[in-house]
Amino acid sequence: MDEERTVGREAPVTAVRHSNDSPALRPFPGWRGKMLSPAQVDKVLKILDVSHDGQEMDELIAMSTSKGGLVDDEVRIRVWPILLGCHAKLRGDLTDRSRWRQLPRHKDEDQVELDVNRSFVYYPKDETDHQLDKRKRELSDVITKVLREHPMLCYFQGFHDIVQVFLLVLGAERAPAAVARLSLLRIRDFMLPSLSPSLAHLNLLPAILQAEDPKLCLHLSTTQPFFALSATLTLYAHDIQEYGDIARLFDFLIAQPAVVAIYFFAIIVLSRRDELFEIPADEPEMLHSILSKLPKPLDLEALIARTVQAYNKSPPARLPNFVWWRVSPYSVLKTTQQPVRDQTVADGEILFAKQVKQLHRDEMRKRALLQLWKYRRPFGSLGVAVLVGVLSFWLRKNGTDGVIDVGLWRIWNIFRGIDFNDQSNPRSKIPADASAPFSTAPNQPPSKRFLWTLSFYAQFFDVDTSEVLRRCRSALYPSAPFLDILDGNPDLYGPFWIATTVVFILFITGTISQYLSDNHDIHFEYNFTLLSGAAGLVYGYTGFVPIGLWASLRWFGAESATLVECWALYGYANVIWIPVALISWSPISALNYVFVGLGFAWSVVFLVRNLWPVVGATDAKVSRVLVIAAVALHAGLTIAIKFLFFAHGSPANKKAGDADGE
């Protein structure tokens, strides 16, 4: 019997059923695909109905992923372009098919011809030599058209395996637009001038295995994941020999983010668990040989279902060892997390250019490190010679005979005599009342605190919240010398939490500043190097500069401040950067300079005012040098904060922006 159905908003179509007991059906008259079961007919009609306006992407993705995928090429020819976002451009491509022939030759066209001659080996079957030659010419034209229209793309061996599947499904007229978007928006990493971005994909494989099966991951730890390169590079088109299987797999891969192809290979590895454990872990060559070949036959539906489960259970951002954060923000692994149909070919070209520049920077850094390592001995010798020369010149100029011997002896005495519990300082905390519980009797020596005891560290945190807030207010609105405010009880509680607060605020506001300066980008990614950079900058400055100040004072024989007092002074000086960081993320560059400049001026006045009495215990020349050094280091901190975290409109950001626009 015949059933009338309406597909979307088009004219009614007929699902012809030859007999009630026959499973072979056609969804509508004119159907040129294979005969279908009743369930497949229902699925095909639903897909065609949803794909009419191309708006129900979630449903199309779900049906492409579900068992059986898109069922037949008659459906794929309509849905694949929608999934790739090129369905609206097909008509324009059909009206202009030869303009690309007048474009300059691409540098890789000779290799294209060699690979095309080796194509169509496994499918389609039962075609004459004349038909195969025609398909090879069409395949060559599709690849050449894409390369000439986008000459920045670099052809790779295996690209023809992908394109031949698109050619068989979409035909010679529709394939070029789909292949162009696929090349720039989904497999862009494989078409860069370097293979390193492709290898970066493989670095996710051990992390996925670790998340799914730690024991198997450990067993394969001696084997590099290069065994997955051929399959993932060609989207499995080079390894799967059945046309129906590769078309079904493309239904799934095209509908999902690019990283899913890596998850799929991980599931293939997991499906061979028993076989792999039969091979000793100390035979990586044999493991590589086994893993580099896909098992036959592949249970695609089961593998796809397990891949979806693994992806949902352990999404890329939750993979161990922070592998996802090391992926470039311009990689297709991250840009395809958003729907490809919302991106343009021009967007892909911009991302391509950014990846090329990033590759160039990485290559220059690697070369520099290799050169440094190669010539580490002469560089080291030169550095020592320069240091000795400068030291000799300084000693001769200052006429300090025997200063080295005296200096070494003084350093030894300094570190031998460190006593954090020194009560000789006039600002020392008043001793506790001897009558108090657990106190030491007046005629008994004070108890010695050792590094391995909690009491040693507890003395540096002997403050309450109100006292920390009072010290913060004194740092912001100084009314008395800060060392007098400490009253012989310097703490590390305030400096630590102030520095930690500054670190996180710099990361948050620096991220906001980056977002405002990069709002032209397609996909914004959090830059977690800002967090590690802020931690290194703030903790390093607050921790090591006071040590240098204290060591200098001891070197010149002054004992006007203890090491903990130096830490407290610099730690509380950072409190001004909390309000400065909160207001310095705006897109108005001049305003940001004003805010950061005020923060520098405020904090440097606080430091100089409190350092001057401390360094005054040395001679006048040394005092001036120490104060100038402290101001210079603080200026370096300020400049680093401005240009590393609030670069919107700054010279650093303009340079990056100009480079991107070249």
Side-chain angles (χ1 to χ4, degrees), residues 493-567:
Y493 182 89
F496 172 76
W497 285 112
I498 290 171
T500 302
T501 303
V502 172
V503 166
F504 280 96
I505 292 179
L506 284 177
F507 168 63
I508 294 170
T509 54
T511 300
I512 295 174
S513 178
Q514 274 199 350
Y515 178 78
L516 293 176
S517 63
D518 294 338
N519 55 8
H520 60 278
D521 284 348
I522 297 163
H523 180 66
F524 178 76
E525 288 286 339
Y526 290 99
N527 185 3
F528 282 91
T529 57
L530 285 177
L531 182 59
S532 58
L537 178 66
V538 176
Y539 289 137
Y541 177 81
T542 309
F544 291 105
V545 172
I547 293 177
L549 172 64
W550 170 79
S552 300
L553 292 174
R554 297 299 294 264
W555 174 271
F556 293 106
E559 298 184 1
S560 50
T562 66
L563 176 57
V564 181
E565 285 177 330
C566 293
W567 270 328

Side-chain angles (χ1 to χ4, degrees), residues 390-576:
V390 171
L391 182 61
S392 301
F393 177 80
W394 184 81
L395 294 175
R396 181 177 181 182
K397 183 178 179 181
N398 290 273
T400 51
D401 297 334
V403 70
I404 296 179
D405 293 337
V406 175
L408 292 175
W409 179 252
R410 185 177 295 178
I411 291 174
W412 166 252
N413 286 333
I414 286 174
F415 285 95
R416 186 180 63 176
I418 292 178
D419 184 5
F420 287 96
N421 303 296
D422 186 11
Q423 303 295 324
S424 63
N425 193 302
R427 295 185 302 273
S428 294
K429 190 175 182 181
I430 299 174
D433 186 358
S435 63
F438 308 105
S439 65
T440 305
N443 58 351
Q444 292 180 353
S447 61
K448 188 72 174 178
R449 298 185 176 99
F450 297 97
L451 283 170
W452 54 85
T453 62
L454 289 177
S455 61
F456 176 83
Y457 300 98
Q459 62 183 318
F460 307 132
F461 296 85
D462 187 17
V463 289
D464 55 21
T465 303
S466 61
E467 178 63 20
V468 171
L469 293 177
R470 185 177 75 88
R471 294 178 180 187
C472 289
R473 286 193 298 269
S474 299
L476 289 173
Y477 305 103
S479 58
F482 190 73
L483 294 184
D484 292 341
I485 299 294
L486 295 179
D487 192 24
N489 184 31
D491 72 285
L492 298 182
Y493 182 89
F496 172 76
W497 285 112
I498 290 171
T500 302
T501 303
V502 172
V503 166
F504 280 96
I505 292 179
L506 284 177
F507 168 63
I508 294 170
T509 54
T511 300
I512 295 174
S513 178
Q514 274 199 350
Y515 178 78
L516 293 176
S517 63
D518 294 338
N519 55 8
H520 60 278
D521 284 348
I522 297 163
H523 180 66
F524 178 76
E525 288 286 339
Y526 290 99
N527 185 3
F528 282 91
T529 57
L530 285 177
L531 182 59
S532 58
L537 178 66
V538 176
Y539 289 137
Y541 177 81
T542 309
F544 291 105
V545 172
I547 293 177
L549 172 64
W550 170 79
S552 300
L553 292 174
R554 297 299 294 264
W555 174 271
F556 293 106
E559 298 184 1
S560 50
T562 66
L563 176 57
V564 181
E565 285 177 330
C566 293
W567 270 328
L569 177 63
Y570 271 84
Y572 281 101
N574 286 333
V575 74
I576 187 62

Side-chain angles (χ1 to χ4, degrees), residues 199-233:
L199 300 179
H201 286 225
L202 305 183
N203 293 332
L204 296 176
L205 186 58
I208 299 171
L209 293 175
Q210 173 69 25
E212 293 295 313
D213 191 335
K215 185 177 180 181
L216 179 59
C217 181
L218 180 63
H219 183 72
L220 300 177
S221 59
T222 59
T223 307
Q224 295 296 319
F226 300 140
F227 50 76
L229 182 61
S230 173
T232 56
L233 192 69

Side-chain angles (χ1 to χ4, degrees), residues 17 129 133 137 245 254 327 471 488 500 595 660:
R17 301 189 179 183
D129 292 342
D133 289 341
R137 288 194 300 270
D245 289 344
I254 293 172
V327 175
R471 294 178 180 187
T500 302
F595 290 150
D660 289 340

Side-chain angles (χ1 to χ4, degrees), residues 275-499:
E275 177 186 2
L276 294 172
F277 273 119
E278 293 177 358
I279 303 173
D282 57 358
E283 295 187 13
E285 295 83 4
M286 184 173 295
L287 287 170
H288 179 91
S289 177
I290 295 296
L291 290 169
S292 61
K293 300 180 179 64
L294 297 185
K296 298 178 183 178
L298 283 175
D299 187 354
L300 281 179
E301 300 302 337
L303 293 172
I304 289 173
R306 288 188 62 187
T307 300
V308 173
Q309 292 175 359
Y311 183 82
N312 292 332
K313 174 187 173 184
S314 305
R318 291 170 52 188
L319 290 176
N321 303 323
F322 302 100
V323 292
W324 185 245
W325 306 118
R326 294 198 291 268
V327 175
S328 167
Y330 309 127
S331 169
V332 295
L333 294 174
K334 289 188 173 179
T335 59
T336 55
Q337 294 294 307
Q338 304 297 326
V340 171
R341 71 188 304 268
D342 297 333
Q343 303 175 29
T344 65
V345 170
D347 294 333
E349 292 176 343
I350 292 172
L351 289 169
F352 187 97
K354 290 185 176 182
Q355 284 183 277
V356 170
K357 291 176 182 177
Q358 187 178 54
L359 286 173
H360 179 70
R361 290 193 296 267
D362 292 343
E363 184 64 26
M364 293 295 292
R365 183 171 64 252
K366 289 179 181 178
R367 289 180 181 177
L369 292 175
L370 286 174
Q371 290 298 316
L372 287 175
W373 179 254
K374 181 178 180 181
Y375 299 105
R376 61 191 182 278
R377 292 184 178 178
F379 282 153
S381 302
L382 179 63
V384 171
V386 171
L387 180 62
V388 171
V390 171
L391 182 61
S392 301
F393 177 80
W394 184 81
L395 294 175
R396 181 177 181 182
K397 183 178 179 181
N398 290 273
T400 51
D401 297 334
V403 70
I404 296 179
D405 293 337
V406 175
L408 292 175
W409 179 252
R410 185 177 295 178
I411 291 174
W412 166 252
N413 286 333
I414 286 174
F415 285 95
R416 186 180 63 176
I418 292 178
D419 184 5
F420 287 96
N421 303 296
D422 186 11
Q423 303 295 324
S424 63
N425 193 302
R427 295 185 302 273
S428 294
K429 190 175 182 181
I430 299 174
D433 186 358
S435 63
F438 308 105
S439 65
T440 305
N443 58 351
Q444 292 180 353
S447 61
K448 188 72 174 178
R449 298 185 176 99
F450 297 97
L451 283 170
W452 54 85
T453 62
L454 289 177
S455 61
F456 176 83
Y457 300 98
Q459 62 183 318
F460 307 132
F461 296 85
D462 187 17
V463 289
D464 55 21
T465 303
S466 61
E467 178 63 20
V468 171
L469 293 177
R470 185 177 75 88
R471 294 178 180 187
C472 289
R473 286 193 298 269
S474 299
L476 289 173
Y477 305 103
S479 58
F482 190 73
L483 294 184
D484 292 341
I485 299 294
L486 295 179
D487 192 24
N489 184 31
D491 72 285
L492 298 182
Y493 182 89
F496 172 76
W497 285 112
I498 290 171

Side-chain angles (χ1 to χ4, degrees), residues 589 647-660:
S589 179
H648 188 99
S650 71
N653 190 56
K654 287 179 181 177
K655 183 178 179 181
D658 293 343
D660 289 340

